[in-house]
Amino acid sequence: MIKIKFNEIETPINVSFSMQDNIITLTGNVPKNTSGFVAYTVNDIVLGDYSEYTTIYRVLPDAVQFSNDGSVWVPPKKDVLITVGWNDGDDVKGIRPAEIAIDILLNGEKDKSIKLNSSMGWQYELTNVLESDEYTINVEDITDYSYSINGTSVVYTTEYPQPEVLTVDDVAIAVAELTDVVVQNSTDIVDTQTALAEVYEMITQ
């Protein structure tokens, strides 16, 4: 613990003192509108003259930081992307809504409402917001869809018919059957080669 005597205040106050680079942090009952000070020990021995520290760098809940070069603290920023995803077979049932209403919550409180649609790529970006802020979302219910939220992303899901997936064995059997038919109806080697080429083209499209 040391004593600080500010330029504008005659009575010294007791605080904790720390310094890193050109930033001094005073922890304690520090006046928030003062700058420039002299540091003393409890026995009134001068530790240093910091009268040039006249810029309030940052005000903390229990401390004040000062700089001597005019610099001030700039809080870190971030971008937040809000997205809507669909698990519906590319809307194979034709029931996907044209737009979705979303409430954006900032630190648990409603901040704004937006609507997303396909022309927006089903996404919205908050730019240059405080890194310390927490953003979440509330979304609307959609008939025949369920949804899951992860942070600021939501995915809507509905049951839809799955396309038939052919196995390697299925393809091999189909090729063999087509080849037999083609060969049986071919009159010479040239016809057979041409027919087989056609079979290959069909199965590789």
Side-chain angles (χ1 to χ4, degrees), residues 97-171:
E99 64 181 15
I100 295 295
I102 295 179
D103 289 336
I104 302 175
L105 280 63
L106 170 58
N107 299 324
E109 300 291 334
K110 183 177 177 180
D111 182 53
K112 65 173 66 176
S113 296
I114 60 173
K115 291 186 178 181
L116 300 186
N117 54 52
S118 59
S119 65
M120 302 168 65
W122 295 107
Q123 64 182 29
Y124 178 85
E125 188 171 29
L126 299 167
T127 60
N128 205 35
V129 298
L130 290 177
E131 188 175 89
S132 58
D133 285 338
E134 180 182 3
Y135 285 87
T136 53
I137 58 174
N138 284 337
V139 300
E140 62 179 309
D141 291 322
I142 303 176
T143 303
D144 293 330
Y145 281 87
S146 61
Y147 66 81
S148 61
I149 295 177
N150 182 17
T152 55
S153 296
V154 58
V155 175
Y156 284 95
T157 300
T158 188
E159 293 184 359
Y160 61 93
Q162 301 290 331
E164 182 180 359
V165 178
L166 295 177
T167 65
V168 174
D169 290 341
D170 292 334
V171 174

Side-chain angles (χ1 to χ4, degrees), residues 23-24 55-60 63-67 71-73 76:
I23 304 300
I24 290 178
T55 300
I56 295 180
Y57 177 78
R58 182 185 185 188
V59 176
L60 301 170
V64 179
Q65 295 177 316
F66 297 91
S67 69
S71 62
V72 295
W73 182 73

